Amino acid sequence: MRDRGLSGAVLADADDVSARYPGAGVPALASLTFAVRAGERVAVLGPNGGGKTTLFRLLTGELPAAGGRLEVPAGRVAIVPQTDRSRLDYPVSALDVALMGAVSRTRWWRRPARADRALARTSLERVGLGDLARVTFGDLSGGQRQRVLVARALVQDAPLLLLDEPFSGLDAPSAERLERLLAELAGEGRGLLMATHDLEQARAADLVLCVNRVQVAFGPPAAALTREEIERTYGAALVPLDDDGPALLPPHHHDHA
Ligand code: ADP
């Protein structure tokens, strides 16, 4: 890996890593060679089935690497799921959801520790939801729910956050607010990987990792998001590009698989 000089400690480091699901003939993902350092926001760009979820499973340790060398010096890795996919019909409050981040430290038959409750409250304040701690999670807006899930990750106190399409379904003000929050978290030295289908979001990241069953590119947006790399990332899913550069993806490209 090229040394990035001023950037922070390495949180995840992959060297020719591949992933294979049990019983599958071919690797789900191959040739991953990248590093994420403290303070970096990395967009993970790829079509549906391209391997974004598989990459996250590798980083959490849920799926062991089938080949290559993967190191996650960050240790704790927090997943921030897509809020659309979270169950919304449970009568849990925003505070309850944030507190779930402490589950690995709490025995299930015990009441949460006072310190964890305090941390959950502080984390909700941190994401701008201190006033809504008692509100039922399902009654919050999509952007608010997404920030509750970020608060939960903060309660987990993980240096590396994996966000699954964090901006999907958010209106512009909510997206901007989340964007600022994520920039702050990176500024504090966390590393963020954000799965996305959105080229504009990828362009705004510090680094971009393009995957389509293999790693297609990794580097700063200007290098990783050339027309050629985007075509290799999306293949047939890509609509014709205009001369101003690759900008357009089919509106429902993520609903195909
Ligand atoms: P993405 O998150 O980018 O949509 P995935 O990581 O889910 O992509 O999928 C990458 C590849 O791995 C796909 O070909 C998919 O079919 C395969 N895959 C994903 N999960 C499993 C599984 N549990 N068992 C077998 N193959 C899987």
Side-chain angles (χ1 to χ4, degrees), residues 21 28 47-54 57 213:
Y21 286 97
N48 221 4
K52 301 182 294 297
T53 309
T54 301
R57 287 184 181 141
R213 307 298 301 270

